[in-house]
Amino acid sequence: MSGSILRLESATTDVVIKTHPFAEIIYWGPHIQNFAAQDVVMFDRPLPNSGLDVDAPLTLMAEISYGLFGSPGIEGHRQGLDGSPLFTTTSAVHSDQKINIISEDQQAGLRLNSEIQLDNSGVLRVCHGLTNLHADPWQVDRFAVTLPVAGRAKEVMAFHGRWIHEFQPHRLTLEHNSFVLENRRGRTSHEHFPALITGSASFSEMQGEVWGVHLGWSGNHRLRAEVKTDGRRYLQAEALYLPGEMALAQGETLWTPYLYASYSGHGLNGMSQQFHRYLREQIIHFPGDKPRPVHLNTWEGIYFNHDPHDIMRMADEAAALGVERFIIDDGWFKGRNDDWAALGDWYVDEKKYPDGLMPVIQHIKSLGMEFGIWVELEMINPDSDLYRAHPEWVLSLPGYPPLTGRHQYVLNLNIPQVFNYLLERMSWLLGEHPVDYIKWDMNRVLVQPGHNGKAAADAQTRQFYRLLDILIDRFPHVEFEACSSGGGRIDYEILKRSHRFWASDNNDALERNTIQRGMSYFFPPEVMGAHIGSDCCHATGRQHTISFRGLTALFGHMGLELNPLVANEQEREGYRKYSALYKQWRGLIHHGVYWRVDMADNSTLVHGVVSKDQHQALFMVSQLAMPDYSFTAPLNIPGLDPNARYQISLLDHANIQLIGKGGHTMHKLPEWLITPQTASGEWLQKAGITLPILDPESAILIGLQRL
Ligand code: GLA
């Protein structure tokens, strides 16, 4: 048996695979220092009475045909035939950190090609390819990646959400059956972020074992956490196919999206830190070591009211505030005066811009800023020249009137003329204007997506990737932001093709604290677009101090989402201050190790970043609501060098004042806020520091410098 045992190892995580006669992941968990292949025999299972007379392995494909009776990793048929595949290994190759296994079912005429790779970061990446070997097409109903997790991983964490309310975590205990998350919206979706985390009882940010997975795919998906009746547990993830959508012709291969998996023995922080490191080293392509520039995006500042003179004045003011990249959002193209018309007509609106875009772009550039512009290429308004000329270009099914969403239809990217039209228009925009940045939006879900009468959601996602790939190839200097009504298309596969996400259309600092924290489980701060909105939030009507807004945007890729010309001087002073603070700290925030801190009171949210060399750290304490207790619980600061001493300082706060000077929450501050103090990293981590008593919807920023 040991001859067919292969192991992938990293500093934190090991994966052990039995390859023959069929492939089975036997172990995914903490690194085993003293590994011996023969020890795997200790995992040999008994045969329970009243069951099959053979062992039912949880194979790579979780085939039901081995007697597993769980959710299989493959379902499909050849007009009713060949519908119960059972694979046996034909070859297994182990090279470095990767195992490739080929297996076949000759009876059903199917070949499976499995790729399992463990990165140094501890992140495991798995995908499978399925090839049809016979003449008739094989209809794929389901094709998934399955990973076993330990029996003690009883708690599940997942995310729900909606527009302006993305990445909301929820928890449950799974004792029996499955927890399933299904997305049929045709994009990654606000509602069902494709990730599942499972872990030991009460796992938290700092404690417990967790097994987290993310499916890198920007379309329909299904994720499942299942506990079998025999107690074995697994996670499963797949692209979800609509009826009849996926059939393989002879020789054709279908690949699953990549499943990214991170095991941590040190709570959720360990899982996230591994994912962040993996993204930084393997997925995010950012031009050189360039710092991420401060943005000004025009959307909430002027909406569709574009006047080049005003925009140039906005740009003057933006540059004076420290903005480094100016982005013209929706409203610049022909006839786009509201969200009812013009999507598809990617020509400059000459009524608004009689001299074209160039004078504005040149002005922005002359101020030393980069230039960005908004597009939403996959869409078409019924009220557009394009639709009037080509109503047949809509993604729909014959015989059914398509539904609009935000007054728009979706273009069928599978039609070559549509694809080429979009490519041509983008090549005009990017080829004839010095554009540095594209905000690529996608503002509706897919309903009855069809091509030639067949479901085509999967094909639409692939064509979207292809379009973006060609543009990136043609215009390699251009950065792309993925936006989809805020955070509707955020995943690792689109991240390969973009540099930043617009995390949410909600710039309310209170809401953003939760949204950004949710997103941080899988994404590092530098790809998280985070903007300071105007003093009265457009999404919620709430008002927050500039300090709460500024600090909240600091832990991302900062920008402004407002018109600085209509802001008062006090507000503008704030924009200037937080742009400067961001520039001062972005090196640390975008390259350091990110931590979320467990706090005794759920109304206090703490996160921070420690530099890789542990010399510097920044922690933000947000008081979301009225504190439960009269003292805010002490803050245990993670990630520091226990043997070093640190100078601790309060770098920013909303308005901490004492009685007599206008304060109302305290009449004495904690000592470290009165006279400068130092403490050991060990003390700061194990005992912690006391915190001032904060008002609801306010935040402070704490800095630590190694002595
Ligand atoms: C979406 C985006 C916004 C903005 C508008 C423009 O809602 O999320 O940021 O670009 O579209 O129409």
Side-chain angles (χ1 to χ4, degrees), residues 555-692:
F555 282 87
H557 177 183
M558 188 189 270
L560 304 177
E561 183 82 26
L562 44 83
N563 183 355
L565 297 175
V566 300
N568 64 33
E569 183 44 37
Q570 195 193 345
E571 274 283 300
R572 281 207 295 273
E573 182 48 40
Y575 309 153
R576 217 172 282 130
K577 173 180 163 186
Y578 288 99
S579 301
L581 195 68
Y582 166 77
K583 288 177 190 170
Q584 184 184 350
W585 293 109
R586 62 187 161 191
L588 168 62
I589 295 170
H590 294 174
H591 299 281
V593 180
Y594 188 86
W595 292 91
R596 293 169 302 263
V597 183
D598 292 315
M599 295 297 286
D601 182 342
N602 285 335
S603 69
T604 316
L605 218 59
V606 181
H607 58 254
V609 179
V610 180
S611 65
K612 276 196 222 145
D613 62 9
Q614 297 175 308
H615 278 242
Q616 280 187 319
L618 273 186
F619 278 83
M620 174 177 168
V621 180
S622 298
Q623 187 58 44
L624 302 186
M626 199 62 190
D628 276 349
Y629 310 105
S630 44
F631 287 145
T632 307
L635 167 63
N636 299 81
I637 302 178
L640 303 173
D641 178 351
N643 301 312
R645 286 194 78 75
Y646 291 87
Q647 174 82 49
I648 305 143
S649 43
L650 185 67
L651 297 179
D652 196 57
H653 61 92
N655 195 15
I656 299 179
Q657 291 179 55
L658 297 180
I659 273 199
K661 293 181 192 160
H664 54 276
T665 60
M666 299 166 280
H667 55 272
K668 181 191 165 293
L669 291 167
E671 187 56 30
W672 69 272
L673 286 171
I674 303 170
T675 41
Q677 299 293 331
T678 70
S680 74
E682 187 177 13
W683 175 273
L684 293 168
Q685 180 146 3
K686 291 182 178 164
I689 60 170
T690 51
L691 289 170

Side-chain angles (χ1 to χ4, degrees), residues 163 297 299 304 329-331 336 339 374 376 406 439 441-443 483-487 502 504-505 561:
W163 177 64
N297 188 61
W299 178 240
F304 298 101
D329 205 285
D330 197 356
R336 185 68 167 171
D339 60 12
W374 179 96
E376 192 184 354
R406 205 193 185 200
K439 176 176 176 182
D441 213 335
M442 196 277 198
N443 282 319
C483 171
S484 182
S485 301
W502 182 224
S504 177
D505 277 348
E561 183 82 26

Side-chain angles (χ1 to χ4, degrees), residues 197 210-212 262 264 267-275 521-522:
I197 301 166
V210 297
W211 291 257
S262 171
S264 157
L268 290 158
N269 279 309
M271 176 201 80
S272 298
Q273 287 162 7
Q274 294 186 160
F275 277 133
Y521 287 101
F522 289 87

Side-chain angles (χ1 to χ4, degrees), residues 64-65 74-78 80-86 105 108 110 138:
I64 200 115
S65 315
I74 183 166
E75 286 184 296
H77 58 96
R78 211 183 294 281
L81 303 176
D82 300 334
S84 189
L86 183 136
D105 177 342
L110 297 172
W138 201 78

